[in-house]
mmCIF file of all heavy atoms in Angstrom:
data_model
loop_
_atom_site.group_PDB
_atom_site.id
_atom_site.type_symbol
_atom_site.label_atom_id
_atom_site.label_comp_id
_atom_site.label_asym_id
_atom_site.label_seq_id
_atom_site.Cartn_x
_atom_site.Cartn_y
_atom_site.Cartn_z
ATOM 1 N N GLY A 437 -17.755 35.189 -15.024
ATOM 2 C CA GLY A 437 -18.224 34.324 -16.024
ATOM 3 C C GLY A 437 -19.775 34.438 -16.131
ATOM 4 O O GLY A 437 -20.446 35.134 -15.388
ATOM 5 N N LYS A 438 -20.351 33.633 -17.005
ATOM 6 C CA LYS A 438 -21.813 33.750 -17.364
ATOM 7 C C LYS A 438 -22.688 33.376 -16.219
ATOM 8 O O LYS A 438 -23.699 34.074 -15.966
ATOM 9 C CB LYS A 438 -22.174 32.824 -18.573
ATOM 10 C CG LYS A 438 -21.388 33.242 -19.820
ATOM 11 C CD LYS A 438 -21.911 34.524 -20.411
ATOM 12 C CE LYS A 438 -21.189 34.861 -21.716
ATOM 13 N NZ LYS A 438 -21.019 36.279 -21.834
ATOM 14 N N GLU A 439 -22.339 32.325 -15.492
ATOM 15 C CA GLU A 439 -23.225 31.878 -14.369
ATOM 16 C C GLU A 439 -23.291 32.934 -13.324
ATOM 17 O O GLU A 439 -24.343 33.276 -12.720
ATOM 18 C CB GLU A 439 -22.866 30.543 -13.810
ATOM 19 C CG GLU A 439 -23.721 30.012 -12.635
ATOM 20 C CD GLU A 439 -25.158 29.823 -12.990
ATOM 21 O OE1 GLU A 439 -25.524 29.599 -14.222
ATOM 22 O OE2 GLU A 439 -26.004 29.848 -12.095
ATOM 23 N N VAL A 440 -22.100 33.510 -13.043
ATOM 24 C CA VAL A 440 -22.036 34.512 -11.937
ATOM 25 C C VAL A 440 -22.865 35.783 -12.367
ATOM 26 O O VAL A 440 -23.648 36.378 -11.694
ATOM 27 C CB VAL A 440 -20.597 34.912 -11.665
ATOM 28 C CG1 VAL A 440 -20.492 36.049 -10.710
ATOM 29 C CG2 VAL A 440 -19.910 33.671 -11.021
ATOM 30 N N GLN A 441 -22.730 36.198 -13.749
ATOM 31 C CA GLN A 441 -23.437 37.302 -14.211
ATOM 32 C C GLN A 441 -24.959 37.012 -14.117
ATOM 33 O O GLN A 441 -25.807 37.851 -13.763
ATOM 34 C CB GLN A 441 -23.068 37.589 -15.626
ATOM 35 C CG GLN A 441 -21.610 38.080 -15.763
ATOM 36 C CD GLN A 441 -21.303 38.698 -17.116
ATOM 37 O OE1 GLN A 441 -22.141 39.350 -17.717
ATOM 38 N NE2 GLN A 441 -20.085 38.632 -17.488
ATOM 39 N N ARG A 442 -25.355 35.772 -14.474
ATOM 40 C CA ARG A 442 -26.724 35.411 -14.468
ATOM 41 C C ARG A 442 -27.336 35.570 -13.018
ATOM 42 O O ARG A 442 -28.394 36.136 -12.866
ATOM 43 C CB ARG A 442 -26.879 33.973 -14.966
ATOM 44 C CG ARG A 442 -28.267 33.535 -15.287
ATOM 45 C CD ARG A 442 -28.280 32.416 -16.294
ATOM 46 N NE ARG A 442 -27.195 31.372 -16.080
ATOM 47 C CZ ARG A 442 -26.392 31.000 -17.030
ATOM 48 N NH1 ARG A 442 -26.446 31.399 -18.226
ATOM 49 N NH2 ARG A 442 -25.470 30.105 -16.698
ATOM 50 N N ARG A 443 -26.568 35.097 -12.115
ATOM 51 C CA ARG A 443 -27.082 35.107 -10.687
ATOM 52 C C ARG A 443 -27.086 36.712 -10.174
ATOM 53 O O ARG A 443 -28.009 37.019 -9.415
ATOM 54 C CB ARG A 443 -26.277 34.226 -9.840
ATOM 55 C CG ARG A 443 -26.485 32.833 -10.212
ATOM 56 C CD ARG A 443 -26.312 31.860 -9.015
ATOM 57 N NE ARG A 443 -26.133 30.553 -9.519
ATOM 58 C CZ ARG A 443 -26.034 29.441 -8.731
ATOM 59 N NH1 ARG A 443 -26.085 29.551 -7.457
ATOM 60 N NH2 ARG A 443 -25.788 28.232 -9.321
ATOM 61 N N ILE A 444 -26.110 37.423 -10.624
ATOM 62 C CA ILE A 444 -26.111 38.807 -10.205
ATOM 63 C C ILE A 444 -27.369 39.506 -10.747
ATOM 64 O O ILE A 444 -28.017 40.259 -10.104
ATOM 65 C CB ILE A 444 -24.834 39.497 -10.673
ATOM 66 C CG1 ILE A 444 -23.624 38.998 -9.802
ATOM 67 C CG2 ILE A 444 -24.943 40.983 -10.509
ATOM 68 C CD1 ILE A 444 -22.306 39.519 -10.304
ATOM 69 N N LEU A 445 -27.685 39.153 -12.074
ATOM 70 C CA LEU A 445 -28.886 39.782 -12.653
ATOM 71 C C LEU A 445 -30.139 39.355 -11.951
ATOM 72 O O LEU A 445 -30.929 40.173 -11.684
ATOM 73 C CB LEU A 445 -28.905 39.325 -14.174
ATOM 74 C CG LEU A 445 -27.824 39.978 -15.045
ATOM 75 C CD1 LEU A 445 -27.813 39.308 -16.445
ATOM 76 C CD2 LEU A 445 -28.085 41.463 -15.176
ATOM 77 N N ILE A 446 -30.300 38.044 -11.600
ATOM 78 C CA ILE A 446 -31.494 37.614 -10.899
ATOM 79 C C ILE A 446 -31.554 38.300 -9.499
ATOM 80 O O ILE A 446 -32.618 38.840 -9.142
ATOM 81 C CB ILE A 446 -31.481 36.086 -10.709
ATOM 82 C CG1 ILE A 446 -31.534 35.328 -12.022
ATOM 83 C CG2 ILE A 446 -32.558 35.525 -9.815
ATOM 84 C CD1 ILE A 446 -31.084 33.903 -11.954
ATOM 85 N N GLY A 447 -30.447 38.373 -8.858
ATOM 86 C CA GLY A 447 -30.453 38.909 -7.501
ATOM 87 C C GLY A 447 -30.763 40.443 -7.530
ATOM 88 O O GLY A 447 -31.478 40.870 -6.674
ATOM 89 N N THR A 448 -30.110 41.114 -8.474
ATOM 90 C CA THR A 448 -30.356 42.561 -8.566
ATOM 91 C C THR A 448 -31.899 42.794 -8.854
ATOM 92 O O THR A 448 -32.421 43.709 -8.336
ATOM 93 C CB THR A 448 -29.456 43.131 -9.712
ATOM 94 O OG1 THR A 448 -28.098 42.796 -9.429
ATOM 95 C CG2 THR A 448 -29.636 44.690 -9.752
ATOM 96 N N TYR A 449 -32.390 42.044 -9.793
ATOM 97 C CA TYR A 449 -33.835 42.104 -10.133
ATOM 98 C C TYR A 449 -34.697 41.909 -8.840
ATOM 99 O O TYR A 449 -35.537 42.756 -8.577
ATOM 100 C CB TYR A 449 -34.166 41.194 -11.227
ATOM 101 C CG TYR A 449 -35.592 41.206 -11.631
ATOM 102 C CD1 TYR A 449 -36.103 42.167 -12.520
ATOM 103 C CD2 TYR A 449 -36.549 40.225 -11.179
ATOM 104 C CE1 TYR A 449 -37.346 42.274 -12.949
ATOM 105 C CE2 TYR A 449 -37.887 40.310 -11.607
ATOM 106 C CZ TYR A 449 -38.243 41.311 -12.493
ATOM 107 O OH TYR A 449 -39.615 41.312 -12.859
ATOM 108 N N ALA A 450 -34.363 40.826 -8.180
ATOM 109 C CA ALA A 450 -35.255 40.518 -6.988
ATOM 110 C C ALA A 450 -35.087 41.576 -5.878
ATOM 111 O O ALA A 450 -36.000 41.592 -5.017
ATOM 112 C CB ALA A 450 -34.817 39.145 -6.393
ATOM 113 N N LEU A 451 -34.035 42.311 -5.827
ATOM 114 C CA LEU A 451 -33.888 43.301 -4.810
ATOM 115 C C LEU A 451 -34.239 44.729 -5.276
ATOM 116 O O LEU A 451 -34.170 45.671 -4.492
ATOM 117 C CB LEU A 451 -32.447 43.354 -4.302
ATOM 118 C CG LEU A 451 -31.975 42.141 -3.500
ATOM 119 C CD1 LEU A 451 -30.464 42.259 -3.175
ATOM 120 C CD2 LEU A 451 -32.766 41.950 -2.202
ATOM 121 N N SER A 452 -34.606 44.868 -6.537
ATOM 122 C CA SER A 452 -34.738 46.189 -7.088
ATOM 123 C C SER A 452 -36.199 46.786 -6.703
ATOM 124 O O SER A 452 -37.065 46.093 -6.264
ATOM 125 C CB SER A 452 -34.644 46.279 -8.639
ATOM 126 O OG SER A 452 -35.585 45.350 -9.238
ATOM 127 N N ALA A 453 -36.255 48.097 -6.780
ATOM 128 C CA ALA A 453 -37.447 48.867 -6.312
ATOM 129 C C ALA A 453 -38.645 48.265 -6.971
ATOM 130 O O ALA A 453 -38.701 48.058 -8.203
ATOM 131 C CB ALA A 453 -37.315 50.315 -6.594
ATOM 132 N N GLY A 454 -39.656 47.965 -6.168
ATOM 133 C CA GLY A 454 -40.968 47.459 -6.779
ATOM 134 C C GLY A 454 -40.976 45.958 -6.741
ATOM 135 O O GLY A 454 -42.087 45.386 -6.910
ATOM 136 N N TYR A 455 -39.918 45.254 -6.660
ATOM 137 C CA TYR A 455 -39.916 43.805 -6.756
ATOM 138 C C TYR A 455 -39.396 43.147 -5.426
ATOM 139 O O TYR A 455 -39.508 41.989 -5.272
ATOM 140 C CB TYR A 455 -39.000 43.359 -7.880
ATOM 141 C CG TYR A 455 -39.581 43.781 -9.244
ATOM 142 C CD1 TYR A 455 -38.952 44.801 -9.953
ATOM 143 C CD2 TYR A 455 -40.649 43.109 -9.811
ATOM 144 C CE1 TYR A 455 -39.361 45.191 -11.161
ATOM 145 C CE2 TYR A 455 -41.131 43.432 -10.990
ATOM 146 C CZ TYR A 455 -40.521 44.586 -11.694
ATOM 147 O OH TYR A 455 -41.052 44.961 -12.912
ATOM 148 N N TYR A 456 -38.805 43.997 -4.519
ATOM 149 C CA TYR A 456 -38.235 43.458 -3.294
ATOM 150 C C TYR A 456 -39.230 42.582 -2.500
ATOM 151 O O TYR A 456 -38.928 41.423 -2.150
ATOM 152 C CB TYR A 456 -37.744 44.641 -2.460
ATOM 153 C CG TYR A 456 -37.068 44.203 -1.156
ATOM 154 C CD1 TYR A 456 -35.699 44.008 -1.094
ATOM 155 C CD2 TYR A 456 -37.910 44.029 -0.009
ATOM 156 C CE1 TYR A 456 -35.094 43.708 0.113
ATOM 157 C CE2 TYR A 456 -37.229 43.713 1.174
ATOM 158 C CZ TYR A 456 -35.880 43.501 1.206
ATOM 159 O OH TYR A 456 -35.271 43.170 2.422
ATOM 160 N N ASP A 457 -40.418 43.137 -2.252
ATOM 161 C CA ASP A 457 -41.451 42.338 -1.495
ATOM 162 C C ASP A 457 -41.868 41.100 -2.137
ATOM 163 O O ASP A 457 -41.970 40.023 -1.528
ATOM 164 C CB ASP A 457 -42.639 43.297 -1.135
ATOM 165 C CG ASP A 457 -42.310 44.328 -0.150
ATOM 166 O OD1 ASP A 457 -41.297 44.172 0.575
ATOM 167 O OD2 ASP A 457 -43.067 45.320 -0.101
ATOM 168 N N ALA A 458 -42.087 41.245 -3.510
ATOM 169 C CA ALA A 458 -42.710 40.114 -4.243
ATOM 170 C C ALA A 458 -41.640 38.971 -4.357
ATOM 171 O O ALA A 458 -42.087 37.762 -4.445
ATOM 172 C CB ALA A 458 -43.043 40.575 -5.591
ATOM 173 N N TYR A 459 -40.355 39.278 -4.383
ATOM 174 C CA TYR A 459 -39.375 38.241 -4.528
ATOM 175 C C TYR A 459 -38.642 37.945 -3.268
ATOM 176 O O TYR A 459 -38.776 36.871 -2.640
ATOM 177 C CB TYR A 459 -38.335 38.565 -5.662
ATOM 178 C CG TYR A 459 -39.077 38.414 -7.033
ATOM 179 C CD1 TYR A 459 -39.605 39.525 -7.744
ATOM 180 C CD2 TYR A 459 -39.125 37.175 -7.647
ATOM 181 C CE1 TYR A 459 -40.225 39.371 -8.911
ATOM 182 C CE2 TYR A 459 -39.778 37.058 -8.918
ATOM 183 C CZ TYR A 459 -40.302 38.131 -9.526
ATOM 184 O OH TYR A 459 -40.889 37.980 -10.703
ATOM 185 N N TYR A 460 -37.808 38.847 -2.816
ATOM 186 C CA TYR A 460 -36.928 38.645 -1.652
ATOM 187 C C TYR A 460 -37.860 38.404 -0.385
ATOM 188 O O TYR A 460 -37.605 37.494 0.446
ATOM 189 C CB TYR A 460 -35.877 39.675 -1.447
ATOM 190 C CG TYR A 460 -35.002 39.394 -0.331
ATOM 191 C CD1 TYR A 460 -34.010 38.418 -0.366
ATOM 192 C CD2 TYR A 460 -35.233 40.001 0.920
ATOM 193 C CE1 TYR A 460 -33.189 38.133 0.672
ATOM 194 C CE2 TYR A 460 -34.364 39.679 2.059
ATOM 195 C CZ TYR A 460 -33.343 38.737 1.856
ATOM 196 O OH TYR A 460 -32.603 38.397 2.911
ATOM 197 N N GLY A 461 -38.793 39.288 -0.263
ATOM 198 C CA GLY A 461 -39.742 39.170 0.928
ATOM 199 C C GLY A 461 -40.445 37.919 1.010
ATOM 200 O O GLY A 461 -40.457 37.183 1.966
ATOM 201 N N LYS A 462 -41.033 37.531 -0.142
ATOM 202 C CA LYS A 462 -41.805 36.295 -0.257
ATOM 203 C C LYS A 462 -40.999 35.077 -0.011
ATOM 204 O O LYS A 462 -41.278 34.184 0.711
ATOM 205 C CB LYS A 462 -42.487 36.248 -1.623
ATOM 206 C CG LYS A 462 -43.357 35.059 -1.893
ATOM 207 C CD LYS A 462 -44.741 35.231 -1.222
ATOM 208 C CE LYS A 462 -45.643 33.964 -1.472
ATOM 209 N NZ LYS A 462 -46.962 34.148 -0.892
ATOM 210 N N ALA A 463 -39.720 35.051 -0.653
ATOM 211 C CA ALA A 463 -38.843 33.879 -0.507
ATOM 212 C C ALA A 463 -38.371 33.776 0.898
ATOM 213 O O ALA A 463 -38.264 32.648 1.521
ATOM 214 C CB ALA A 463 -37.624 34.094 -1.437
ATOM 215 N N SER A 464 -38.175 34.918 1.648
ATOM 216 C CA SER A 464 -37.788 34.855 3.056
ATOM 217 C C SER A 464 -38.921 34.331 3.936
ATOM 218 O O SER A 464 -38.661 33.704 4.980
ATOM 219 C CB SER A 464 -37.337 36.289 3.508
ATOM 220 O OG SER A 464 -36.283 36.686 2.639
ATOM 221 N N GLN A 465 -40.171 34.623 3.603
ATOM 222 C CA GLN A 465 -41.308 34.091 4.346
ATOM 223 C C GLN A 465 -41.404 32.489 4.150
ATOM 224 O O GLN A 465 -41.611 31.789 5.044
ATOM 225 C CB GLN A 465 -42.558 34.655 3.830
ATOM 226 C CG GLN A 465 -42.783 36.125 4.414
ATOM 227 C CD GLN A 465 -44.013 36.753 3.842
ATOM 228 O OE1 GLN A 465 -44.342 36.778 2.643
ATOM 229 N NE2 GLN A 465 -44.932 37.090 4.821
ATOM 230 N N VAL A 466 -41.162 32.127 2.828
ATOM 231 C CA VAL A 466 -41.192 30.734 2.595
ATOM 232 C C VAL A 466 -40.010 29.990 3.232
ATOM 233 O O VAL A 466 -40.182 28.872 3.726
ATOM 234 C CB VAL A 466 -41.150 30.490 1.026
ATOM 235 C CG1 VAL A 466 -40.936 29.006 0.746
ATOM 236 C CG2 VAL A 466 -42.431 31.012 0.358
ATOM 237 N N ARG A 467 -38.952 30.704 3.459
ATOM 238 C CA ARG A 467 -37.834 30.145 4.180
ATOM 239 C C ARG A 467 -38.261 29.820 5.559
ATOM 240 O O ARG A 467 -37.889 28.806 6.173
ATOM 241 C CB ARG A 467 -36.637 31.126 4.183
ATOM 242 C CG ARG A 467 -35.379 30.592 4.828
ATOM 243 C CD ARG A 467 -34.276 31.630 4.720
ATOM 244 N NE ARG A 467 -33.002 31.072 5.249
ATOM 245 C CZ ARG A 467 -31.825 31.686 5.230
ATOM 246 N NH1 ARG A 467 -31.798 32.925 4.779
ATOM 247 N NH2 ARG A 467 -30.810 31.133 5.637
ATOM 248 N N THR A 468 -38.994 30.628 6.222
ATOM 249 C CA THR A 468 -39.571 30.410 7.581
ATOM 250 C C THR A 468 -40.418 29.155 7.511
ATOM 251 O O THR A 468 -40.268 28.288 8.432
ATOM 252 C CB THR A 468 -40.428 31.604 8.063
ATOM 253 O OG1 THR A 468 -39.662 32.822 7.953
ATOM 254 C CG2 THR A 468 -41.005 31.384 9.341
ATOM 255 N N LEU A 469 -41.239 29.045 6.492
ATOM 256 C CA LEU A 469 -42.058 27.851 6.440
ATOM 257 C C LEU A 469 -41.268 26.529 6.297
ATOM 258 O O LEU A 469 -41.601 25.513 6.885
ATOM 259 C CB LEU A 469 -43.017 28.002 5.283
ATOM 260 C CG LEU A 469 -44.135 29.053 5.315
ATOM 261 C CD1 LEU A 469 -44.877 29.154 4.006
ATOM 262 C CD2 LEU A 469 -45.010 28.835 6.497
ATOM 263 N N ILE A 470 -40.178 26.670 5.555
ATOM 264 C CA ILE A 470 -39.340 25.451 5.368
ATOM 265 C C ILE A 470 -38.619 25.135 6.666
ATOM 266 O O ILE A 470 -38.555 23.997 7.002
ATOM 267 C CB ILE A 470 -38.317 25.802 4.188
ATOM 268 C CG1 ILE A 470 -38.988 25.757 2.888
ATOM 269 C CG2 ILE A 470 -37.147 24.714 4.232
ATOM 270 C CD1 ILE A 470 -38.262 26.274 1.708
ATOM 271 N N SER A 471 -38.175 26.165 7.382
ATOM 272 C CA SER A 471 -37.531 25.844 8.738
ATOM 273 C C SER A 471 -38.609 25.226 9.690
ATOM 274 O O SER A 471 -38.270 24.375 10.453
ATOM 275 C CB SER A 471 -37.024 27.138 9.328
ATOM 276 O OG SER A 471 -35.987 27.707 8.590
ATOM 277 N N ARG A 472 -39.858 25.769 9.608
ATOM 278 C CA ARG A 472 -40.874 25.171 10.481
ATOM 279 C C ARG A 472 -41.107 23.699 10.166
ATOM 280 O O ARG A 472 -41.411 22.916 11.020
ATOM 281 C CB ARG A 472 -42.195 25.958 10.364
ATOM 282 C CG ARG A 472 -42.052 27.281 11.050
ATOM 283 C CD ARG A 472 -43.416 28.138 10.859
ATOM 284 N NE ARG A 472 -43.284 29.431 11.509
ATOM 285 C CZ ARG A 472 -44.204 30.400 11.361
ATOM 286 N NH1 ARG A 472 -45.293 30.138 10.601
ATOM 287 N NH2 ARG A 472 -44.093 31.498 11.880
ATOM 288 N N ASP A 473 -41.055 23.470 8.862
ATOM 289 C CA ASP A 473 -41.270 22.003 8.413
ATOM 290 C C ASP A 473 -40.247 21.105 9.141
ATOM 291 O O ASP A 473 -40.577 20.016 9.637
ATOM 292 C CB ASP A 473 -40.910 21.876 6.894
ATOM 293 C CG ASP A 473 -42.082 22.227 6.036
ATOM 294 O OD1 ASP A 473 -43.129 22.534 6.499
ATOM 295 O OD2 ASP A 473 -41.911 22.112 4.754
ATOM 296 N N PHE A 474 -39.008 21.566 9.152
ATOM 297 C CA PHE A 474 -37.984 20.700 9.882
ATOM 298 C C PHE A 474 -38.224 20.703 11.326
ATOM 299 O O PHE A 474 -38.107 19.533 11.900
ATOM 300 C CB PHE A 474 -36.583 21.294 9.578
ATOM 301 C CG PHE A 474 -36.043 20.996 8.143
ATOM 302 C CD1 PHE A 474 -35.842 21.988 7.232
ATOM 303 C CD2 PHE A 474 -35.800 19.635 7.765
ATOM 304 C CE1 PHE A 474 -35.393 21.722 5.941
ATOM 305 C CE2 PHE A 474 -35.318 19.319 6.531
ATOM 306 C CZ PHE A 474 -35.140 20.402 5.621
ATOM 307 N N ASP A 475 -38.629 21.808 11.884
ATOM 308 C CA ASP A 475 -38.863 21.710 13.367
ATOM 309 C C ASP A 475 -39.969 20.687 13.700
ATOM 310 O O ASP A 475 -39.840 19.919 14.671
ATOM 311 C CB ASP A 475 -39.406 23.144 13.889
ATOM 312 C CG ASP A 475 -38.274 24.121 13.905
ATOM 313 O OD1 ASP A 475 -37.096 23.781 13.778
ATOM 314 O OD2 ASP A 475 -38.622 25.375 13.848
ATOM 315 N N ALA A 476 -40.995 20.715 12.850
ATOM 316 C CA ALA A 476 -42.097 19.707 13.115
ATOM 317 C C ALA A 476 -41.621 18.271 12.861
ATOM 318 O O ALA A 476 -41.956 17.404 13.679
ATOM 319 C CB ALA A 476 -43.288 20.027 12.149
ATOM 320 N N ALA A 477 -40.850 18.044 11.857
ATOM 321 C CA ALA A 477 -40.304 16.739 11.518
ATOM 322 C C ALA A 477 -39.516 16.236 12.629
ATOM 323 O O ALA A 477 -39.556 15.103 13.074
ATOM 324 C CB ALA A 477 -39.580 16.761 10.167
ATOM 325 N N PHE A 478 -38.629 17.123 13.128
ATOM 326 C CA PHE A 478 -37.634 16.696 14.244
ATOM 327 C C PHE A 478 -38.330 16.521 15.500
ATOM 328 O O PHE A 478 -37.720 16.036 16.556
ATOM 329 C CB PHE A 478 -36.494 17.648 14.286
ATOM 330 C CG PHE A 478 -35.494 17.555 13.210
ATOM 331 C CD1 PHE A 478 -35.025 18.659 12.467
ATOM 332 C CD2 PHE A 478 -34.985 16.286 12.865
ATOM 333 C CE1 PHE A 478 -34.238 18.561 11.416
ATOM 334 C CE2 PHE A 478 -34.157 16.184 11.707
ATOM 335 C CZ PHE A 478 -33.705 17.263 10.992
ATOM 336 N N SER A 479 -39.618 16.947 15.662
ATOM 337 C CA SER A 479 -40.378 16.560 16.893
ATOM 338 C C SER A 479 -40.813 15.080 16.849
ATOM 339 O O SER A 479 -41.239 14.591 17.919
ATOM 340 C CB SER A 479 -41.560 17.532 17.048
ATOM 341 O OG SER A 479 -42.528 17.155 16.070
ATOM 342 N N GLN A 480 -40.664 14.446 15.681
ATOM 343 C CA GLN A 480 -41.097 13.043 15.595
ATOM 344 C C GLN A 480 -39.858 12.160 15.357
ATOM 345 O O GLN A 480 -40.104 10.898 15.250
ATOM 346 C CB GLN A 480 -42.041 12.854 14.432
ATOM 347 C CG GLN A 480 -43.322 13.691 14.502
ATOM 348 C CD GLN A 480 -43.961 13.826 13.175
ATOM 349 O OE1 GLN A 480 -44.318 12.838 12.538
ATOM 350 N NE2 GLN A 480 -44.189 15.062 12.687
ATOM 351 N N CYS A 481 -38.705 12.614 15.170
ATOM 352 C CA CYS A 481 -37.568 11.693 14.812
ATOM 353 C C CYS A 481 -36.214 12.455 15.173
ATOM 354 O O CYS A 481 -36.235 13.672 15.473
ATOM 355 C CB CYS A 481 -37.607 11.396 13.314
ATOM 356 S SG CYS A 481 -37.436 12.823 12.250
ATOM 357 N N ASP A 482 -35.175 11.598 15.152
ATOM 358 C CA ASP A 482 -33.834 12.245 15.585
ATOM 359 C C ASP A 482 -33.107 12.787 14.354
ATOM 360 O O ASP A 482 -32.287 13.592 14.450
ATOM 361 C CB ASP A 482 -33.032 11.123 16.217
ATOM 362 C CG ASP A 482 -33.636 10.586 17.475
ATOM 363 O OD1 ASP A 482 -33.776 11.353 18.478
ATOM 364 O OD2 ASP A 482 -34.101 9.518 17.484
ATOM 365 N N MET A 483 -33.385 12.196 13.179
ATOM 366 C CA MET A 483 -32.764 12.645 11.960
ATOM 367 C C MET A 483 -33.624 12.316 10.785
ATOM 368 O O MET A 483 -34.613 11.587 10.958
ATOM 369 C CB MET A 483 -31.359 11.966 11.884
ATOM 370 C CG MET A 483 -31.549 10.456 11.554
ATOM 371 S SD MET A 483 -29.927 9.675 11.698
ATOM 372 C CE MET A 483 -30.177 8.918 13.294
ATOM 373 N N LEU A 484 -33.335 12.811 9.650
ATOM 374 C CA LEU A 484 -33.980 12.569 8.432
ATOM 375 C C LEU A 484 -33.035 11.921 7.496
ATOM 376 O O LEU A 484 -31.745 12.113 7.482
ATOM 377 C CB LEU A 484 -34.478 13.836 7.758
ATOM 378 C CG LEU A 484 -35.468 14.722 8.610
ATOM 379 C CD1 LEU A 484 -35.670 16.058 7.898
ATOM 380 C CD2 LEU A 484 -36.776 13.926 8.775
ATOM 381 N N ALA A 485 -33.565 11.018 6.600
ATOM 382 C CA ALA A 485 -32.684 10.393 5.573
ATOM 383 C C ALA A 485 -33.393 10.456 4.258
ATOM 384 O O ALA A 485 -34.639 10.250 4.181
ATOM 385 C CB ALA A 485 -32.388 8.962 5.961
#
Side-chain angles (χ1 to χ4, degrees):
Chain A
K438 297 291 180 215
E439 178 63 22
V440 173
Q441 293 194 30
R442 193 154 41 233
R443 295 209 197 182
I444 290 173
L445 290 168
I446 296 166
T448 305
Y449 181 79
L451 292 177
S452 61
Y455 296 103
Y456 180 93
D457 288 339
Y459 286 96
Y460 183 75
K462 183 78 180 180
S464 300
Q465 286 179 302
V466 170
R467 185 177 186 179
T468 303
L469 295 174
I470 288 169
S471 295
R472 286 178 183 172
D473 278 359
F474 283 113
D475 291 344
F478 287 129
S479 71
Q480 300 162 57
C481 60
D482 300 292
M483 71 193 100
L484 300 171

